[in-house]
Amino acid sequence: MDDGNEKEPLVPPSPQSSRAENLGGTDYAAQNKREKSLAVAFESVGFGRAQYRVILVCGLCFMSDSIEIGLLSLLQIKAKDEFGLDGTREALLTSAVFIGEFFGAFVFGPLADRFGRWWISVIGAGFVGILGLASAFAWSFESLAIMRCLVGIGIGGLSVPFDILAEFVPPIQRGRALMAVEFFWSVGTLFTAGLAWGLLEDLGWRWFVALCSVPVLLALAGFMMMPESPHWLVTQGRQAEALRVLQRAAVLNQRPPLPDDTVLEPASTDPAAQQVTNPIWTLGLEGETDTDAPQSTDAPAPDSADAGHPMPPPAPHSDASPAALFRRPLLWTTLRLFVVWVSYSFSYYGVLLILPEVLSGGEDSIDYTALLISSSAEVVACCIGLALIDTVGRTRTSGATYILCGGFMGLMMLAGLSPAVVILLSMLARGAIFIGSSTTWVLTPELFPTAVRGTGHSWCNALARVGGAATPFWGTAALPQSTRLSLYAGVSVLCGLVSLSLRETRNSMLS
């Protein structure tokens, strides 16, 4: 390796050095820089303390989303008593959160693609933490609904930290790293159930709501050690900043830092990197071809100075328009992902909302012990998903588990089942759909290119909130429990079939 004292002989410009020439300086000076694809750069940086920091912060944000979902069904019951809510207003309280989440996801995703992942993540977490705490002091149903709606807006932006993690992990470890974040979702579920079990009846729902905001407040403090995404920086032509992020990550991982004269190239332009991390196409539905894979056409721009996390000016990019999601080659992938996210959200939240009713035998009291036991299924499911994500693959894992969830919910409709069997089936259904939804979270950012990854992922998340917002109205309707379960089961099976048609992305490099 060049130690800086020896000079390499100058050679005529080559096509591969064109990007370096665009970064400024003479043609000969550009050629003396080391061109390195992001794929090779991430292999040099390795996986270690730098990624664990991001997993922790991202996990706390994910935990907050999980807490909000678990909080909804319990808050709905307690607020009904304090504010004298009828069935429609009770459902509206829950749906207000999903309405906020839809709006937040719809807005924060494009902003993350335009202004960067870091700032949008901080803003979203701030909404959740500050307004979540404030809602504990609500003085009326209207004030509570408005503040929970604003919390929902912040939650809509919490998919952006997940994208930072996806863009900060080497391809070989990415599946397991993203799936590991799902443990925080499980911890959040158990945290909510355990907190309700120990405090809700004695201290009331206000203390319960206030304490549920603690994890996201910790995440806000953790963002100070969260980096901006190198992938996003490169798409904006800010290679120097991306290089500094990777150099700091290498030091944290106790690896040799990349040389200062390294010029980072998008991974999709490096044929050698693609050979190492080629997608396993055979695991997806046949007929999904290479033309469906998103391609990166990153346009370089002059490097900007590093100043911590300054709010960058918008950097127009030919592929950064949300309209790219609805043009070839992304159109078919986008539409199928929309169907999957709406379907899994409707079924997943349906399972969560109907569980207290099923476990209490239809009475108004809540069986916290059974609810906690059922919630623990997600911890086991996360371990299973972690083992499957890089062995069976994304599409087969998600498709099969969604279909299994539908089957378990179908069995719950059988009459004469003992409480133990109902709890077992609810655990199996919850665990299966948890594996499926977790795998969908891993798969989705891998299917979109960096320029529109925030928009694509967030808009999928926004449509999931549409499914979630419809769930409480269906769940509280004057319909037999078996009818509601049959719908949840059917939608889950549909979700599985569509998931099986998506392109497999195991070990593929992000474009």
Side-chain angles (χ1 to χ4, degrees):
M1 180 179 291
D2 183 11
D3 59 6
N5 296 323
E6 299 181 17
K7 294 184 177 179
E8 298 177 3
L10 298 179
V11 295
S14 63
Q16 287 75 15
S17 65
S18 59
R19 183 177 295 272
E21 295 169 5
N22 289 332
L23 294 175
T26 65
D27 293 348
Y28 295 138
Q31 293 172 62
N32 283 326
K33 293 187 176 183
R34 297 172 174 84
E35 292 189 358
K36 190 184 291 287
S37 75
L38 279 171
V40 177
F42 273 110
E43 289 179 2
S44 300
V45 169
F47 184 88
R49 185 180 175 186
Q51 284 78 18
Y52 289 131
R53 284 184 171 187
V54 181
I55 289 174
L56 175 61
V57 178
C58 179
L60 287 171
C61 292
F62 224 59
M63 181 178 174
S64 301
D65 194 351
S66 169
I67 288 172
E68 183 63 29
I69 300 308
L71 181 151
L72 288 180
S73 59
L74 300 172
L75 180 60
Q76 183 174 281
I77 294 173
K78 295 302 177 180
K80 176 182 177 180
D81 297 334
E82 179 163 339
F83 297 118
L85 306 181
D86 56 23
T88 301
R89 284 159 64 89
E90 181 183 353
L92 181 61
L93 177 61
T94 300
S95 293
V97 178
F98 289 107
I99 292 170
E101 289 174 356
F102 174 82
F103 179 79
F106 189 80
V107 171
F108 282 136
L111 290 177
D113 285 333
R114 189 169 176 81
F115 293 102
R117 320 298 197 211
W118 190 88
W119 269 105
I120 303 306
S121 298
V122 171
I123 293 171
F127 264 74
V128 178
I130 296 171
L131 292 166
L133 183 61
S135 64
F137 301 94
W139 57 92
S140 65
F141 164 75
E142 289 76 15
S143 64
L144 180 61
I146 290 172
M147 283 189 279
R148 297 317 295 181
C149 181
L150 293 174
V151 169
I153 291 176
I155 289 176
L158 295 186
S159 64
V160 179
F162 196 85
D163 294 334
I164 295 180
L165 179 59
E167 295 171 349
F168 198 63
V169 178
I172 300 301
Q173 290 91 4
R174 189 175 61 240
R176 292 188 296 274
L178 294 176
M179 184 62 74
V181 172
E182 303 293 342
F183 276 106
F184 287 86
W185 182 281
S186 302
V187 171
T189 301
L190 293 173
F191 176 84
T192 308
L195 200 63
W197 190 12
L199 300 177
L200 185 57
E201 298 296 339
D202 295 332
L203 298 182
W205 65 269
R206 295 181 185 274
W207 274 101
F208 175 63
V209 169
L211 291 174
C212 282
S213 66
V214 170
V216 74
L217 293 175
L218 294 176
L220 271 175
F223 273 112
M224 300 310 298
M225 61 181 181
M226 187 92 153
E228 182 54 275
S229 162
H231 277 272
W232 181 82
L233 289 170
V234 169
T235 66
Q236 305 305 303
R238 297 162 61 181
Q239 282 87 348
E241 292 178 67
L243 177 60
R244 282 189 285 273
V245 170
L246 292 176
Q247 287 173 329
R248 288 192 290 267
V251 171
L252 285 171
N253 293 346
Q254 298 183 337
R255 302 287 289 269
L258 300 172
D260 290 337
D261 59 355
T262 301
V263 178
L264 296 172
E265 293 277 353
S268 59
T269 65
D270 189 307
Q274 289 182 348
Q275 291 173 7
V276 175
T277 59
N278 220 13
I280 302 178
W281 306 102
T282 55
L283 291 182
L285 185 70
E286 288 188 317
E288 187 98 344
T289 65
D290 226 350
T291 59
D292 292 317
Q295 301 296 323
S296 174
T297 56
D298 302 325
D303 295 335
S304 59
D306 184 18
H309 291 286
M311 175 68 84
H317 191 280
S318 60
D319 285 339
S321 170
L325 297 173
F326 305 100
R327 295 194 297 259
R328 291 182 59 85
L330 293 176
L331 174 61
W332 183 226
T333 296
T334 300
L335 294 178
R336 283 178 292 171
L337 282 172
F338 283 176
V339 171
V340 169
W341 279 75
V342 171
S343 301
Y344 102 66
S345 175
F346 182 82
S347 297
Y348 180 77
Y349 296 141
V351 170
L352 293 188
L353 289 177
I354 206 170
L355 273 180
E357 177 186 344
V358 171
L359 298 177
S360 64
E363 300 177 0
D364 290 335
S365 61
I366 302 173
D367 188 341
Y368 292 110
T369 302
L371 186 60
L372 187 61
I373 293 173
S374 176
S375 300
S376 67
E378 294 189 355
V379 179
V380 178
C382 196
C383 296
I384 296 173
L386 197 63
L388 297 178
I389 193 72
D390 282 330
T391 53
V392 176
R394 277 68 154 155
T395 56
R396 286 183 175 178
T397 297
S398 58
T401 50
Y402 284 135
I403 293 172
L404 280 174
C405 175
F408 293 135
M409 283 193 287
L411 291 175
M412 290 173 66
M413 294 186 292
L414 298 177
L417 297 178
S418 66
V421 173
V422 171
I423 292 175
L424 175 62
L425 289 174
S426 69
M427 291 179 66
L428 292 174
R430 186 167 183 169
I433 200 166
F434 180 80
I435 295 173
S437 61
S438 299
T439 307
T440 296
W441 269 84
V442 174
L443 175 65
T444 299
E446 295 178 330
L447 288 174
F448 291 117
T450 300
V452 291
R453 181 169 296 118
T455 302
H457 191 185
S458 290
W459 283 10
C460 285
N461 197 18
L463 288 178
R465 309 307 170 167
V466 173
T471 303
F473 286 100
W474 177 265
T476 58
L479 293 172
Q481 188 181 96
S482 60
T483 303
R484 286 175 275 156
L485 279 171
S486 65
L487 180 62
Y488 298 145
V491 172
S492 185
V493 171
L494 170 65
C495 182
L497 295 175
V498 178
S499 295
L500 289 171
S501 73
L502 291 167
R503 176 170 59 89
E504 179 57 50
T505 59
R506 181 175 61 172
N507 294 341
S508 63
M509 186 62 198
L510 299 178
S511 62

